[in-house]
Amino acid sequence: MSLAKKIQVAVSTVQGSVSAATSPHPVSACEGRRQASCKILQSGAMAVSLTELSLQSDELAAVSIGTLRDASQTLCRRLTYLLEPISPVEADTEKCVVQMRSNPPQADDNGLRYYELLIERGGAVTLHRYEKSPDHPRTQVSATMTHEVLGRLIDDFNAAVDGIVSG
């Protein structure tokens, strides 16, 4: 069973047992040297609301910032199914992290909402969603997606790590 399928099965086991009124429920699944995890606020038959989705792997322990930049470009090209297109924003050579964000973010009268992804040496690929209201600092908000999109994200995070490892 693929890592994406394993995390989908793990998420389905908490379906209906968590709600937005409780703190996020951690769920994870492993395959080899990789672990997919998420923090679930709500899970239903069709969709899940989560505050974090990540793929951790020690395979990223010694990669260069250039390799992470290349992997972020590839990942951005793959993530065409999210609410907004994703683009690299910044590469921190000291911490060896590449930040990607929605470009452009979703905007309305209440402010901006956007995805932020990090790919970092040491190593993880992580997704969060944020909201920035006028005159207020940004706050993390939940990301709601179908179980199918959750699986695709894990597959694409996995492909990004595969590209780094084989590159």
Side-chain angles (χ1 to χ4, degrees), residues 19-82:
S19 72
T22 62
S23 60
H25 183 81
V27 173
S28 64
C30 295
E31 183 177 283
R33 296 170 68 181
R34 299 180 190 174
Q35 178 180 7
S37 61
C38 56
K39 294 178 181 174
I40 301 172
L41 289 174
Q42 291 182 310
S43 179
M46 299 288 293
V48 61
S49 178
L50 50 88
T51 60
E52 178 179 283
L53 177 64
S54 68
L55 176 73
Q56 297 92 21
S57 176
D58 63 359
E59 297 163 294
L60 302 178
V63 297
S64 70
I65 191 67
T67 301
L68 292 179
R69 279 187 184 121
D70 293 344
S72 73
Q73 291 284 351
T74 301
L75 189 56
C76 289
R77 284 192 297 274
R78 293 180 70 104
L79 299 180
T80 59
Y81 48 87
L82 293 176

Side-chain angles (χ1 to χ4, degrees), residues 34-158:
R34 299 180 190 174
Q35 178 180 7
S37 61
C38 56
K39 294 178 181 174
I40 301 172
L41 289 174
Q42 291 182 310
S43 179
M46 299 288 293
V48 61
S49 178
L50 50 88
T51 60
E52 178 179 283
L53 177 64
S54 68
L55 176 73
Q56 297 92 21
S57 176
D58 63 359
E59 297 163 294
L60 302 178
V63 297
S64 70
I65 191 67
T67 301
L68 292 179
R69 279 187 184 121
D70 293 344
S72 73
Q73 291 284 351
T74 301
L75 189 56
C76 289
R77 284 192 297 274
R78 293 180 70 104
L79 299 180
T80 59
Y81 48 87
L82 293 176
L83 293 173
E84 306 98 22
I86 306 297
S87 298
V89 173
E90 182 179 0
D92 183 331
T93 56
E94 191 174 299
K95 293 182 181 175
C96 208
V97 175
V98 177
Q99 178 186 55
M100 299 156 274
R101 282 194 183 158
S102 301
N103 186 20
Q106 186 179 61
D108 61 24
D109 292 342
N110 296 320
L112 304 173
R113 278 172 298 292
Y114 57 91
Y115 291 106
E116 182 174 278
L117 291 95
L118 299 175
I119 184 167
E120 54 192 308
R121 178 172 62 198
V125 181
T126 309
L127 175 137
H128 293 102
R129 187 139 176 95
Y130 291 96
E131 180 175 80
K132 172 70 175 95
S133 302
D135 302 321
H136 292 83
R138 78 177 187 162
T139 57
Q140 188 175 341
V141 295
S142 63
T144 302
M145 60 191 69
T146 65
H147 294 281
E148 180 182 348
V149 167
L150 173 68
R152 283 183 73 180
L153 280 165
I154 293 300
D155 282 341
D156 287 336
F157 290 3
N158 241 334

